Amino acid sequence: MIKPLTSLRFFFAFMIFVHHMTFLAKSKSSTLRWIHESILKEGYIGVSFFFILSGFILAYNYRDSMLNQKISKSNFYIARIARIYPLHLLTLLIAVPLTFQNVNFEISLWFKQLFFNSTLTQSFVPIKKIYFSFNSPSWSISNELFFYLLFPFLILLISKLKVLKYSKGLLIPFLLLLPILMLVIPPIYYKNLFYVNPFFRVFDFIVGILLFELYLKIKNTEKLINYNALEFGSIILLVVFFIFHSQLPLVVRYSIYYWLPMSFLILVFAFQKGELSRLLSNNTLILLGEVSFGFYMFHQLVLKYFTMVNKSLLHITNEFLIILIILVVSLIISYISLIWFENPVNKYLKRVLIKKTKY
């Protein structure tokens, strides 16, 4: 476990949480409307962080064992699916009652949505009613599953190409491909493709894998590095990019605009050598990082169910109190899920399904 990166997961999950507080867009307070429009609305960038981090952490944990054939592809797939699918299935079932509240309910569409969600393939379908159906945040888990399927092949390909040695010949075309596609593809498809579709978001994941190769290269040198300055600098860089985000088109901000600050942040804190790393290694922050997956998967459901209950019974109008209730309830449910569902089911599935192979 890289403790600072584990803790950072919660902060970026929280960014996604506030991004989904869309009711603030209709707030009576002009200040809250401005905060939502100028700050909170940009919270979706947390998804980019998680996709890049996923590539980095998988390379960190599995690169050598994959290249040395100490783990089979099937066992790798089982381990990863056991991590994400049980919670996805649970939240999918919890989301089912909400779907019947839709005044435009269509049974044929519902079964299509259920099929794509249950198979975690909804993000491949460039239709909003499909990829944002049931528990909408799960579209990114659909992407993650696709990344997991590609990972053994990507890590082998990157290793064989010695990508760092030929970085100019490989990385420049790679980095230019998405901007070129953004110029060619009509704007009406931007969100369906550049934000949601796994064939486009896999670039974020590959950036994470390449970032780990850079991490290894730096780690194996004996250079004196001021990690305190780098850690503070990485946060400042992300803040600067965030401040000027409105100067760029939304489609660019879906991914490529934040590649540099996100990658720099992950790379620097992966070394765990600065004062901020020590602060982020606090047990409470690590626990928040560990529940971040559940927090991400549950918070939208908590928001929707609370909205129903609040409208019919509670009638709470204070927006800060509403956000606080949703936050606290989401965290409590996420913690319970981690201890009583995610960890036990994950361990059970791996114990039953993973084959013990001797090499």
Side-chain angles (χ1 to χ4, degrees), residues 299-323:
H299 77 273
Q300 187 77 295
L301 296 173
V302 173
L303 171 61
K304 290 179 179 180
Y305 275 107
F306 174 80
T307 300
M308 291 171 54
V309 173
N310 191 39
K311 186 177 180 179
S312 59
L313 296 175
L314 302 177
H315 308 295
I316 298 172
T317 58
N318 186 300
E319 290 154 331
F320 291 104
L321 180 58
I322 290 173
I323 293 173

PDB file of all heavy atoms in Angstrom, residues 299-323:
ATOM      1  N   HIS A 299     -22.756   7.170  -2.822  1.00  0.00           N
ATOM      2  CA  HIS A 299     -23.195   8.537  -2.523  1.00  0.00           C
ATOM      3  C   HIS A 299     -24.352   9.009  -3.395  1.00  0.00           C
ATOM      4  O   HIS A 299     -25.247   9.709  -2.923  1.00  0.00           O
ATOM      5  CB  HIS A 299     -22.018   9.512  -2.628  1.00  0.00           C
ATOM      6  CG  HIS A 299     -21.634   9.871  -4.029  1.00  0.00           C
ATOM      7  ND1 HIS A 299     -20.751   9.117  -4.774  1.00  0.00           N
ATOM      8  CD2 HIS A 299     -22.024  10.898  -4.827  1.00  0.00           C
ATOM      9  CE1 HIS A 299     -20.606   9.677  -5.970  1.00  0.00           C
ATOM     10  NE2 HIS A 299     -21.376  10.744  -6.034  1.00  0.00           N
ATOM     11  N   GLN A 300     -24.361   8.609  -4.659  1.00  0.00           N
ATOM     12  CA  GLN A 300     -25.446   9.026  -5.553  1.00  0.00           C
ATOM     13  C   GLN A 300     -26.765   8.375  -5.147  1.00  0.00           C
ATOM     14  O   GLN A 300     -27.835   8.994  -5.224  1.00  0.00           O
ATOM     15  CB  GLN A 300     -25.082   8.657  -6.995  1.00  0.00           C
ATOM     16  CG  GLN A 300     -26.035   9.184  -8.057  1.00  0.00           C
ATOM     17  CD  GLN A 300     -25.847  10.642  -8.368  1.00  0.00           C
ATOM     18  OE1 GLN A 300     -26.076  11.474  -7.501  1.00  0.00           O
ATOM     19  NE2 GLN A 300     -25.434  10.948  -9.583  1.00  0.00           N
ATOM     20  N   LEU A 301     -26.699   7.135  -4.688  1.00  0.00           N
ATOM     21  CA  LEU A 301     -27.898   6.443  -4.212  1.00  0.00           C
ATOM     22  C   LEU A 301     -28.430   7.102  -2.939  1.00  0.00           C
ATOM     23  O   LEU A 301     -29.636   7.286  -2.777  1.00  0.00           O
ATOM     24  CB  LEU A 301     -27.590   4.968  -3.954  1.00  0.00           C
ATOM     25  CG  LEU A 301     -27.198   4.135  -5.178  1.00  0.00           C
ATOM     26  CD1 LEU A 301     -26.759   2.739  -4.749  1.00  0.00           C
ATOM     27  CD2 LEU A 301     -28.357   4.054  -6.168  1.00  0.00           C
ATOM     28  N   VAL A 302     -27.514   7.442  -2.045  1.00  0.00           N
ATOM     29  CA  VAL A 302     -27.914   8.131  -0.809  1.00  0.00           C
ATOM     30  C   VAL A 302     -28.582   9.459  -1.149  1.00  0.00           C
ATOM     31  O   VAL A 302     -29.620   9.819  -0.567  1.00  0.00           O
ATOM     32  CB  VAL A 302     -26.696   8.365   0.113  1.00  0.00           C
ATOM     33  CG1 VAL A 302     -27.086   9.233   1.317  1.00  0.00           C
ATOM     34  CG2 VAL A 302     -26.126   7.033   0.586  1.00  0.00           C
ATOM     35  N   LEU A 303     -28.011  10.185  -2.085  1.00  0.00           N
ATOM     36  CA  LEU A 303     -28.576  11.457  -2.520  1.00  0.00           C
ATOM     37  C   LEU A 303     -30.004  11.282  -3.052  1.00  0.00           C
ATOM     38  O   LEU A 303     -30.916  12.032  -2.680  1.00  0.00           O
ATOM     39  CB  LEU A 303     -27.685  12.077  -3.603  1.00  0.00           C
ATOM     40  CG  LEU A 303     -28.234  13.311  -4.339  1.00  0.00           C
ATOM     41  CD1 LEU A 303     -28.473  14.456  -3.368  1.00  0.00           C
ATOM     42  CD2 LEU A 303     -27.277  13.744  -5.450  1.00  0.00           C
ATOM     43  N   LYS A 304     -30.209  10.289  -3.893  1.00  0.00           N
ATOM     44  CA  LYS A 304     -31.522  10.087  -4.509  1.00  0.00           C
ATOM     45  C   LYS A 304     -32.563   9.627  -3.489  1.00  0.00           C
ATOM     46  O   LYS A 304     -33.703  10.113  -3.478  1.00  0.00           O
ATOM     47  CB  LYS A 304     -31.417   9.080  -5.654  1.00  0.00           C
ATOM     48  CG  LYS A 304     -30.665   9.627  -6.863  1.00  0.00           C
ATOM     49  CD  LYS A 304     -30.552   8.588  -7.970  1.00  0.00           C
ATOM     50  CE  LYS A 304     -29.822   9.162  -9.169  1.00  0.00           C
ATOM     51  NZ  LYS A 304     -29.681   8.168 -10.272  1.00  0.00           N
ATOM     52  N   TYR A 305     -32.165   8.691  -2.610  1.00  0.00           N
ATOM     53  CA  TYR A 305     -33.114   8.219  -1.603  1.00  0.00           C
ATOM     54  C   TYR A 305     -33.413   9.311  -0.575  1.00  0.00           C
ATOM     55  O   TYR A 305     -34.558   9.469  -0.134  1.00  0.00           O
ATOM     56  CB  TYR A 305     -32.577   6.966  -0.908  1.00  0.00           C
ATOM     57  CG  TYR A 305     -32.892   5.685  -1.648  1.00  0.00           C
ATOM     58  CD1 TYR A 305     -31.903   4.980  -2.328  1.00  0.00           C
ATOM     59  CD2 TYR A 305     -34.193   5.175  -1.676  1.00  0.00           C
ATOM     60  CE1 TYR A 305     -32.188   3.808  -3.017  1.00  0.00           C
ATOM     61  CE2 TYR A 305     -34.491   4.000  -2.359  1.00  0.00           C
ATOM     62  CZ  TYR A 305     -33.488   3.319  -3.028  1.00  0.00           C
ATOM     63  OH  TYR A 305     -33.790   2.169  -3.712  1.00  0.00           O
ATOM     64  N   PHE A 306     -32.389  10.067  -0.209  1.00  0.00           N
ATOM     65  CA  PHE A 306     -32.618  11.156   0.752  1.00  0.00           C
ATOM     66  C   PHE A 306     -33.548  12.208   0.149  1.00  0.00           C
ATOM     67  O   PHE A 306     -34.423  12.743   0.849  1.00  0.00           O
ATOM     68  CB  PHE A 306     -31.296  11.815   1.152  1.00  0.00           C
ATOM     69  CG  PHE A 306     -31.489  13.028   2.024  1.00  0.00           C
ATOM     70  CD1 PHE A 306     -31.739  12.896   3.380  1.00  0.00           C
ATOM     71  CD2 PHE A 306     -31.457  14.313   1.479  1.00  0.00           C
ATOM     72  CE1 PHE A 306     -31.959  14.010   4.179  1.00  0.00           C
ATOM     73  CE2 PHE A 306     -31.661  15.427   2.268  1.00  0.00           C
ATOM     74  CZ  PHE A 306     -31.911  15.279   3.618  1.00  0.00           C
ATOM     75  N   THR A 307     -33.371  12.519  -1.126  1.00  0.00           N
ATOM     76  CA  THR A 307     -34.229  13.498  -1.789  1.00  0.00           C
ATOM     77  C   THR A 307     -35.686  13.078  -1.719  1.00  0.00           C
ATOM     78  O   THR A 307     -36.588  13.901  -1.463  1.00  0.00           O
ATOM     79  CB  THR A 307     -33.806  13.682  -3.264  1.00  0.00           C
ATOM     80  OG1 THR A 307     -32.443  14.135  -3.306  1.00  0.00           O
ATOM     81  CG2 THR A 307     -34.679  14.701  -3.964  1.00  0.00           C
ATOM     82  N   MET A 308     -35.953  11.789  -1.919  1.00  0.00           N
ATOM     83  CA  MET A 308     -37.320  11.269  -1.836  1.00  0.00           C
ATOM     84  C   MET A 308     -37.879  11.400  -0.417  1.00  0.00           C
ATOM     85  O   MET A 308     -38.996  11.883  -0.215  1.00  0.00           O
ATOM     86  CB  MET A 308     -37.342   9.798  -2.269  1.00  0.00           C
ATOM     87  CG  MET A 308     -37.083   9.567  -3.746  1.00  0.00           C
ATOM     88  SD  MET A 308     -36.859   7.797  -4.129  1.00  0.00           S
ATOM     89  CE  MET A 308     -38.343   7.100  -3.419  1.00  0.00           C
ATOM     90  N   VAL A 309     -37.065  10.987   0.565  1.00  0.00           N
ATOM     91  CA  VAL A 309     -37.508  11.029   1.964  1.00  0.00           C
ATOM     92  C   VAL A 309     -37.682  12.473   2.422  1.00  0.00           C
ATOM     93  O   VAL A 309     -38.647  12.816   3.117  1.00  0.00           O
ATOM     94  CB  VAL A 309     -36.507  10.285   2.866  1.00  0.00           C
ATOM     95  CG1 VAL A 309     -36.867  10.475   4.340  1.00  0.00           C
ATOM     96  CG2 VAL A 309     -36.470   8.808   2.521  1.00  0.00           C
ATOM     97  N   ASN A 310     -36.756  13.323   2.027  1.00  0.00           N
ATOM     98  CA  ASN A 310     -36.806  14.726   2.436  1.00  0.00           C
ATOM     99  C   ASN A 310     -38.043  15.421   1.860  1.00  0.00           C
ATOM    100  O   ASN A 310     -38.694  16.235   2.537  1.00  0.00           O
ATOM    101  CB  ASN A 310     -35.544  15.445   1.976  1.00  0.00           C
ATOM    102  CG  ASN A 310     -35.409  16.827   2.584  1.00  0.00           C
ATOM    103  OD1 ASN A 310     -35.716  17.035   3.762  1.00  0.00           O
ATOM    104  ND2 ASN A 310     -34.956  17.782   1.792  1.00  0.00           N
ATOM    105  N   LYS A 311     -38.363  15.090   0.634  1.00  0.00           N
ATOM    106  CA  LYS A 311     -39.505  15.725  -0.024  1.00  0.00           C
ATOM    107  C   LYS A 311     -40.832  15.319   0.617  1.00  0.00           C
ATOM    108  O   LYS A 311     -41.756  16.143   0.752  1.00  0.00           O
ATOM    109  CB  LYS A 311     -39.506  15.344  -1.507  1.00  0.00           C
ATOM    110  CG  LYS A 311     -40.557  16.057  -2.329  1.00  0.00           C
ATOM    111  CD  LYS A 311     -40.439  15.683  -3.794  1.00  0.00           C
ATOM    112  CE  LYS A 311     -41.504  16.417  -4.623  1.00  0.00           C
ATOM    113  NZ  LYS A 311     -41.394  16.076  -6.076  1.00  0.00           N
ATOM    114  N   SER A 312     -40.921  14.077   1.055  1.00  0.00           N
ATOM    115  CA  SER A 312     -42.193  13.577   1.594  1.00  0.00           C
ATOM    116  C   SER A 312     -42.306  13.689   3.113  1.00  0.00           C
ATOM    117  O   SER A 312     -43.413  13.829   3.647  1.00  0.00           O
ATOM    118  CB  SER A 312     -42.404  12.123   1.185  1.00  0.00           C
ATOM    119  OG  SER A 312     -41.343  11.317   1.655  1.00  0.00           O
ATOM    120  N   LEU A 313     -41.167  13.640   3.832  1.00  0.00           N
ATOM    121  CA  LEU A 313     -41.229  13.584   5.298  1.00  0.00           C
ATOM    122  C   LEU A 313     -40.461  14.690   6.020  1.00  0.00           C
ATOM    123  O   LEU A 313     -40.998  15.361   6.899  1.00  0.00           O
ATOM    124  CB  LEU A 313     -40.705  12.219   5.782  1.00  0.00           C
ATOM    125  CG  LEU A 313     -41.502  10.981   5.383  1.00  0.00           C
ATOM    126  CD1 LEU A 313     -40.774   9.726   5.831  1.00  0.00           C
ATOM    127  CD2 LEU A 313     -42.901  11.033   6.001  1.00  0.00           C
ATOM    128  N   LEU A 314     -39.196  14.873   5.680  1.00  0.00           N
ATOM    129  CA  LEU A 314     -38.327  15.728   6.481  1.00  0.00           C
ATOM    130  C   LEU A 314     -38.472  17.219   6.166  1.00  0.00           C
ATOM    131  O   LEU A 314     -38.415  18.055   7.068  1.00  0.00           O
ATOM    132  CB  LEU A 314     -36.861  15.304   6.287  1.00  0.00           C
ATOM    133  CG  LEU A 314     -36.534  13.854   6.633  1.00  0.00           C
ATOM    134  CD1 LEU A 314     -35.087  13.535   6.328  1.00  0.00           C
ATOM    135  CD2 LEU A 314     -36.839  13.585   8.105  1.00  0.00           C
ATOM    136  N   HIS A 315     -38.545  17.548   4.910  1.00  0.00           N
ATOM    137  CA  HIS A 315     -38.708  18.942   4.461  1.00  0.00           C
ATOM    138  C   HIS A 315     -37.563  19.848   4.933  1.00  0.00           C
ATOM    139  O   HIS A 315     -37.794  20.982   5.342  1.00  0.00           O
ATOM    140  CB  HIS A 315     -40.053  19.512   4.938  1.00  0.00           C
ATOM    141  CG  HIS A 315     -41.222  18.653   4.584  1.00  0.00           C
ATOM    142  ND1 HIS A 315     -41.617  18.413   3.276  1.00  0.00           N
ATOM    143  CD2 HIS A 315     -42.092  17.952   5.376  1.00  0.00           C
ATOM    144  CE1 HIS A 315     -42.673  17.616   3.273  1.00  0.00           C
ATOM    145  NE2 HIS A 315     -42.992  17.312   4.531  1.00  0.00           N
ATOM    146  N   ILE A 316     -36.369  19.317   4.884  1.00  0.00           N
ATOM    147  CA  ILE A 316     -35.188  20.123   5.234  1.00  0.00           C
ATOM    148  C   ILE A 316     -34.848  21.017   4.049  1.00  0.00           C
ATOM    149  O   ILE A 316     -34.737  20.555   2.913  1.00  0.00           O
ATOM    150  CB  ILE A 316     -33.985  19.218   5.581  1.00  0.00           C
ATOM    151  CG1 ILE A 316     -34.313  18.344   6.799  1.00  0.00           C
ATOM    152  CG2 ILE A 316     -32.731  20.051   5.843  1.00  0.00           C
ATOM    153  CD1 ILE A 316     -33.258  17.292   7.093  1.00  0.00           C
ATOM    154  N   THR A 317     -34.656  22.301   4.315  1.00  0.00           N
ATOM    155  CA  THR A 317     -34.358  23.253   3.239  1.00  0.00           C
ATOM    156  C   THR A 317     -32.936  23.803   3.296  1.00  0.00           C
ATOM    157  O   THR A 317     -32.443  24.342   2.307  1.00  0.00           O
ATOM    158  CB  THR A 317     -35.345  24.428   3.280  1.00  0.00           C
ATOM    159  OG1 THR A 317     -35.264  25.069   4.567  1.00  0.00           O
ATOM    160  CG2 THR A 317     -36.770  23.955   3.033  1.00  0.00           C
ATOM    161  N   ASN A 318     -32.297  23.666   4.450  1.00  0.00           N
ATOM    162  CA  ASN A 318     -30.930  24.176   4.589  1.00  0.00           C
ATOM    163  C   ASN A 318     -29.973  23.313   3.751  1.00  0.00           C
ATOM    164  O   ASN A 318     -29.792  22.129   4.020  1.00  0.00           O
ATOM    165  CB  ASN A 318     -30.502  24.144   6.060  1.00  0.00           C
ATOM    166  CG  ASN A 318     -29.146  24.791   6.277  1.00  0.00           C
ATOM    167  OD1 ASN A 318     -28.148  24.361   5.710  1.00  0.00           O
ATOM    168  ND2 ASN A 318     -29.113  25.823   7.103  1.00  0.00           N
ATOM    169  N   GLU A 319     -29.391  23.934   2.722  1.00  0.00           N
ATOM    170  CA  GLU A 319     -28.586  23.175   1.769  1.00  0.00           C
ATOM    171  C   GLU A 319     -27.300  22.634   2.381  1.00  0.00           C
ATOM    172  O   GLU A 319     -26.846  21.544   2.027  1.00  0.00           O
ATOM    173  CB  GLU A 319     -28.282  24.051   0.555  1.00  0.00           C
ATOM    174  CG  GLU A 319     -29.522  24.299  -0.291  1.00  0.00           C
ATOM    175  CD  GLU A 319     -29.475  25.589  -1.084  1.00  0.00           C
ATOM    176  OE1 GLU A 319     -28.813  26.534  -0.634  1.00  0.00           O
ATOM    177  OE2 GLU A 319     -30.103  25.647  -2.147  1.00  0.00           O
ATOM    178  N   PHE A 320     -26.704  23.360   3.301  1.00  0.00           N
ATOM    179  CA  PHE A 320     -25.498  22.876   3.976  1.00  0.00           C
ATOM    180  C   PHE A 320     -25.812  21.645   4.823  1.00  0.00           C
ATOM    181  O   PHE A 320     -25.034  20.693   4.871  1.00  0.00           O
ATOM    182  CB  PHE A 320     -24.896  23.979   4.855  1.00  0.00           C
ATOM    183  CG  PHE A 320     -24.316  25.119   4.077  1.00  0.00           C
ATOM    184  CD1 PHE A 320     -25.000  26.327   3.986  1.00  0.00           C
ATOM    185  CD2 PHE A 320     -23.096  24.993   3.432  1.00  0.00           C
ATOM    186  CE1 PHE A 320     -24.474  27.385   3.266  1.00  0.00           C
ATOM    187  CE2 PHE A 320     -22.551  26.047   2.705  1.00  0.00           C
ATOM    188  CZ  PHE A 320     -23.248  27.251   2.621  1.00  0.00           C
ATOM    189  N   LEU A 321     -26.963  21.671   5.483  1.00  0.00           N
ATOM    190  CA  LEU A 321     -27.372  20.524   6.304  1.00  0.00           C
ATOM    191  C   LEU A 321     -27.665  19.315   5.417  1.00  0.00           C
ATOM    192  O   LEU A 321     -27.304  18.185   5.770  1.00  0.00           O
ATOM    193  CB  LEU A 321     -28.610  20.895   7.126  1.00  0.00           C
ATOM    194  CG  LEU A 321     -29.160  19.793   8.046  1.00  0.00           C
ATOM    195  CD1 LEU A 321     -28.097  19.321   9.032  1.00  0.00           C
ATOM    196  CD2 LEU A 321     -30.402  20.292   8.792  1.00  0.00           C
ATOM    197  N   ILE A 322     -28.276  19.545   4.273  1.00  0.00           N
ATOM    198  CA  ILE A 322     -28.564  18.453   3.341  1.00  0.00           C
ATOM    199  C   ILE A 322     -27.277  17.780   2.885  1.00  0.00           C
ATOM    200  O   ILE A 322     -27.153  16.554   2.902  1.00  0.00           O
ATOM    201  CB  ILE A 322     -29.361  18.976   2.127  1.00  0.00           C
ATOM    202  CG1 ILE A 322     -30.775  19.362   2.548  1.00  0.00           C
ATOM    203  CG2 ILE A 322     -29.409  17.909   1.019  1.00  0.00           C
ATOM    204  CD1 ILE A 322     -31.574  20.049   1.463  1.00  0.00           C
ATOM    205  N   ILE A 323     -26.300  18.596   2.499  1.00  0.00           N
ATOM    206  CA  ILE A 323     -25.008  18.058   2.047  1.00  0.00           C
ATOM    207  C   ILE A 323     -24.328  17.293   3.176  1.00  0.00           C
ATOM    208  O   ILE A 323     -23.776  16.204   2.966  1.00  0.00           O
ATOM    209  CB  ILE A 323     -24.097  19.182   1.533  1.00  0.00           C
ATOM    210  CG1 ILE A 323     -24.687  19.787   0.253  1.00  0.00           C
ATOM    211  CG2 ILE A 323     -22.688  18.661   1.262  1.00  0.00           C
ATOM    212  CD1 ILE A 323     -23.953  21.018  -0.237  1.00  0.00           C
TER     213      ILE A 323
END
